[in-house]
């Protein structure tokens, strides 16, 4: 007779199965810190750390969980979720998800860099150095709010995470890392989170800043010898939002200072929210310790919108702007403007402006006329542009790619470049071979097949390709 599994063993086995069926970001977000609380009369009660996880597990993942449970233990009929606070879960010995222990303090002493011996800063209110008033500008644009953000399958995880954080600052997901291609709503979500806090907790200090501005301010403070004030001011922020963090990549000094500010804020449960055009793993030359801090929190992605989503967004935007769009125009725009929401908005504004100036109501004919130029001029990408995107993304040179050599750091970008030229540009295999220093067409074919396969089986590869495609699409614009 088989030995029955303990609750922990059973839950680990369930997680093992669920992990295969859903994306990694979703898996970590919703299953981190969960465990089986009890099994009673065929009803399994799952301990979850918060109401958001409860909602998602009960409504979206119910069937996955039940299926996995039933396959392991036939007399299970139903699941329920019960919110158990972190410290109680700890007692309950929660399961590690992907090696990440949800309840282990992010900065336990063994994680703490030895060099981190900052003097204690007084965090009471009103100690803002008077020399740096601009540091307390929130930089929030009230236009970006959650209620203006249209939720669809491509962004629901990121939206849920931002909203959850706005309801539980500093304690739920910290840091929160949102990534996705340009124009997909990252800034909108980050700013909505900031605005929500300002609205509900006016005493909280919120700062939104792009990583480029952050770098600029830091450099200025070094020049003005006011770096201590700079850091001290940052360390009094309750919610620090850093947008487009990929631009920190490669700037050692900035990363170092950011890391210290990050640690100081994190240790006193201040919230950090970060966005990037790609996952932390795919940001080249991001310092390892920063990368692992980012990965230790919660990561959610926004992908490109499907046709249904584009239709929904366009309809909502038209309504918001008071633009009357007939169904045929709505469909035409959504079918032709496919890259991102920013372009959809741009198209709508151009059409509305044209119709107003010419005093002609919007119709399919007018839409085709206004968009005609843009659509016809939609550039076809060249292999050269693929190479630029690849060399930027992986920090390699063109010579590296063409040279003979099988080092993985070079071979991988080379294979991806071949794959993109073949699948996106439909360049003949033999031409691709010539572009890469006269390689044989079978070498190219091998690369294309390898990447195609990995795309299906490895989440990391899928994410990498999504980031690259986003960048190529921007060039097509
Ligand atoms: P990103 O920061 O990812 O490049 P933005 O947040 O700047 O993108 O979004 C570009 C534009 O599209 C903004 O005007 C934003 O309000 C709008 N937008 C993006 N996604 C949505 C959405 N889901 N609902 C409503 N507006 C959106
Ligand atoms: Mg942005």
């Amino acid at each position: 007779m088989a030995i029955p599994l303990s609750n922990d063993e059973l839950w680990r086995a369930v997680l093992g199965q669920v992990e295969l069926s859903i994306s990694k970001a979703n898996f970590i977000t919703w299953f981190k810190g969960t465990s089986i609380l009890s099994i009673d009369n065929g009803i399994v009660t799952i301990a979850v750390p918060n109401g958001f996880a409860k909602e998602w597990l009960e409504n979206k993942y119910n069937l996955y969980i039940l299926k996995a449970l039933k396959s392991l233990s036939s007399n299970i009929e139903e699941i329920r979720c019960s919110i158990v606070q972190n410290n109680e879960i700890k007692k309950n010995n929660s399961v590690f998800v992907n090696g990440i222990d949800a309840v282990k303090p992010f900065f336990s002493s063994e994680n703490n860099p030895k060099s981190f011996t900052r003097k204690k800063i007084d965090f009471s209110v009103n100690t803002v150095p008077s020399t740096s008033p601009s540091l307390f500008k929130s930089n929030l644009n009230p236009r970006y709010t959650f209620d203006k953000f249209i939720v669809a399958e491509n962004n629901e995880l990121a939206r849920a995470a931002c909203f959850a954080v706005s309801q539980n600052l500093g304690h739920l997901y910290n840091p929160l890392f949102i990534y996705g291609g340009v124009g997909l709503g990252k800034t909108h979500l980050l700013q909505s989170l900031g605005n929500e806090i300002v609205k509900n907790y006016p005493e909280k200090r919120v700062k939104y800043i792009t990583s480029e501005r952050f770098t600029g301010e830091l450099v200025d403070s070094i020049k003005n010898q006011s770096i201590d004030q700079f850091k001290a001011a940052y360390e009094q922020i309750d919610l620090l939002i850093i947008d487009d963090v990929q631009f920190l990549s490669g700037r050692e000094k900035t990363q170092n200072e950011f890391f210290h500010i990050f640690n100081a804020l994190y240790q006193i449960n201040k919230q950090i929210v970060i966005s990037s055009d790609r996952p932390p793993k795919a940001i080249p030359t991001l310092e390892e310790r920063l990368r692992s801090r980012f990965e230790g929190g919660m990561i959610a992605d926004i992908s490109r919108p499907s046709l249904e989503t584009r239709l929904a967004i366009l309809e909502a935007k038209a309504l918001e702007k008071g633009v009357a769009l007939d169904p045929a125009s709505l469909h035409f725009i959504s079918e032709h403007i496919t890259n991102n929401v920013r372009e959809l908005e741009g198209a709508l504004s151009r059409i509305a402006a044209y119709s107003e100036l010419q005093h002609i109501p919007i119709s399919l004919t007018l839409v085709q006329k206004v968009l005609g130029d843009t659509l016809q001029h939609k550039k076809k990408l060249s292999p050269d542009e693929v190479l630029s995107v690849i060399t930027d993304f992986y920090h390699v040179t063109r010579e590296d790619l063409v040279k003979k050599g099988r080092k993985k750091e070079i071979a991988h970008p080379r294979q991806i470049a071949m794959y993109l030229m073949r699948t996106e540009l439909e360049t003949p295999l033999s031409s691709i071979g010539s572009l890469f220093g006269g390689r044989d067409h079978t070498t190219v074919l091998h690369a294309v097949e390898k990447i195609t396969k990995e795309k299906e089986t490895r989440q990391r590869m899928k994410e990498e390709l999504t980031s690259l495609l986003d960048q190529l699409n921007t060039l097509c614009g």
Side-chain angles (χ1 to χ4, degrees):
M1 205 179 84
I3 305 165
L5 296 174
S6 74
N7 285 358
D8 265 3
E9 287 164 340
L10 179 61
W11 192 235
R12 270 176 214 276
V14 168
L15 291 179
Q17 290 192 24
V18 173
E19 190 180 5
L20 298 176
S21 329
I22 68 178
S23 80
K24 189 170 167 213
N26 268 308
F27 180 69
I28 293 182
T29 309
W30 306 117
F31 288 88
K32 192 164 143 180
T34 56
S35 58
I36 291 183
L37 209 55
S38 64
I39 303 180
D40 204 10
N41 266 336
I43 300 175
V44 177
T45 306
I46 301 162
V48 293
N50 55 61
F52 302 101
K54 179 173 158 68
E55 203 181 305
W56 280 61
L57 259 58
E58 284 182 347
N59 298 326
K60 275 197 91 123
Y61 297 124
N62 185 320
L63 287 179
Y64 289 103
I65 301 170
L66 202 58
K67 194 170 145 223
L69 276 168
K70 278 179 183 265
S71 73
L72 295 157
S73 172
S74 55
N75 45 12
I76 286 169
E77 298 297 332
E78 193 183 324
I79 60 161
R80 290 183 190 160
C81 293
S82 171
I83 302 172
V84 179
Q85 294 303 322
N86 268 356
N87 42 7
E88 291 171 51
I89 291 189
K90 188 167 196 166
K91 275 189 247 138
N92 263 324
N93 207 1
S94 83
V95 177
F96 285 67
V97 172
N98 270 8
I100 299 166
D101 180 358
V103 291
K104 184 170 161 196
F106 194 45
F107 287 93
S108 60
S109 52
E110 84 257 49
N111 278 343
N112 235 333
K114 286 215 178 57
S115 61
F116 189 66
T117 50
R118 304 183 55 73
K119 54 178 181 299
K120 245 196 154 16
I121 295 164
D122 178 7
F123 287 104
S124 56
V125 210
N126 290 333
T127 50
V128 192
S130 54
T131 47
S132 47
S134 73
L135 282 177
F136 277 120
K137 284 224 296 275
S138 76
N139 299 329
L140 290 172
N141 179 343
R143 166 172 113 76
Y144 295 118
T145 51
F146 283 122
D147 58 354
K148 297 258 169 59
F149 189 83
I150 294 138
V151 187
E153 93 293 339
N154 65 320
N155 61 28
E156 62 183 342
L157 174 65
R159 194 268 180 200
C162 285
F163 188 74
V165 165
S166 78
Q167 305 299 302
N168 199 340
L169 208 62
H171 298 283
L172 195 52
Y173 304 126
N174 204 7
L176 169 62
F177 191 104
I178 303 287
Y179 74 91
V182 288
L184 294 179
K186 299 184 297 296
T187 300
H188 189 136
L189 273 182
L190 262 49
Q191 290 249 354
S192 303
L193 165 52
N195 279 318
E196 187 76 8
I197 296 300
V198 169
K199 185 177 83 189
N200 297 332
Y201 310 95
E203 76 286 359
K204 297 264 188 220
R205 290 196 168 122
V206 177
K207 185 170 179 82
Y208 165 94
I209 190 161
T210 62
S211 73
E212 283 173 307
R213 277 283 290 280
F214 178 84
T215 309
E217 282 191 8
L218 176 71
V219 170
D220 284 348
S221 79
I222 295 171
K223 267 197 225 135
N224 305 333
Q225 302 187 330
S226 57
I227 181 139
D228 285 343
Q229 281 109 308
F230 174 85
K231 286 198 245 178
Y234 265 92
E235 285 160 8
Q236 294 178 55
I237 288 166
D238 297 294
L239 165 60
L240 175 60
I241 303 170
I242 306 252
D243 206 354
D244 290 323
V245 82
Q246 70 274 10
F247 295 122
L248 285 184
S249 154
R251 299 170 199 256
E252 243 173 74
K253 172 106 182 123
T254 315
Q255 287 194 35
N256 198 29
E257 293 306 342
F258 177 60
F259 183 74
H260 284 310
I261 292 170
F262 185 110
N263 274 351
L265 290 176
Y266 187 87
Q267 279 178 327
I268 45 172
N269 285 335
K270 301 301 183 77
Q271 180 75 47
I272 300 151
V273 182
I274 299 155
S275 87
S276 167
D277 65 350
R278 56 190 99 164
K281 271 203 186 72
I283 308 181
T285 71
L286 186 68
E287 263 199 62
E288 201 42 49
R289 53 187 187 163
L290 257 182
R291 190 194 318 274
S292 61
R293 292 303 188 244
F294 292 168
E295 285 174 351
M298 133 85 151
I299 303 181
D301 71 322
I302 309 186
S303 54
R304 287 173 65 191
S306 65
L307 176 61
E308 290 85 74
T309 304
R310 297 198 300 277
L311 279 164
I313 289 182
L314 189 62
E315 204 170 3
K317 295 267 168 194
L319 198 69
E320 191 188 312
K321 293 190 160 90
V323 179
L325 271 190
D326 57 292
S329 303
L330 189 72
H331 271 90
F332 185 87
I333 306 168
S334 310
E335 267 160 20
H336 289 85
I337 311 276
T338 57
N339 279 345
N340 62 50
V341 183
R342 186 174 298 145
E343 288 180 11
L344 269 182
E345 279 188 343
L348 181 64
S349 301
R350 281 203 307 281
I351 292 161
Y354 189 91
S355 135
E356 219 175 288
L357 289 172
Q358 306 281 325
H359 304 290
I360 316 172
I362 297 177
S363 63
L364 184 57
T365 323
L366 178 137
V367 168
Q368 283 170 335
K369 185 167 162 42
V370 177
L371 296 187
D373 282 354
T374 339
L375 299 178
Q376 266 161 29
H377 290 141
K378 211 164 162 46
K379 232 173 56 197
K380 189 132 175 45
L381 282 169
S382 66
D384 198 56
E385 281 162 320
V386 172
L387 284 177
S388 303
V389 167
I390 292 285
T391 49
D392 264 18
F393 192 89
Y394 294 101
H395 284 227
V396 293
T397 64
R398 284 172 187 238
E399 293 74 59
D400 288 337
L401 294 177
V402 171
K403 269 194 319 226
K404 299 259 173 285
R406 290 164 189 266
K407 268 215 308 235
K408 189 160 182 288
E409 307 85 84
I410 308 292
H412 177 68
R414 186 188 292 132
Q415 288 179 331
I416 299 265
M418 290 175 168
Y419 167 86
L420 289 174
M421 286 180 189
R422 180 69 192 147
T423 55
E424 294 300 305
L425 278 49
E426 296 173 358
T427 313
L429 294 172
S430 55
S431 314
I432 300 177
S434 322
L435 280 167
F436 289 89
R439 286 178 160 80
D440 193 69
H441 79 276
T442 52
T443 310
V444 183
L445 188 62
H446 168 75
V448 175
E449 285 172 352
K450 177 161 175 269
I451 304 298
T452 310
K453 198 161 145 217
E454 286 184 13
K455 187 179 80 173
E456 301 306 320
T457 52
R458 288 181 47 213
Q459 181 68 16
R460 166 99 192 265
M461 177 63 80
K462 212 166 112 189
E463 287 167 353
E464 230 170 275
L465 286 173
T466 308
S467 304
L468 287 163
L469 283 174
D470 277 335
Q471 297 187 19
L472 284 174
N473 278 319
T474 318
L475 290 178
C476 286

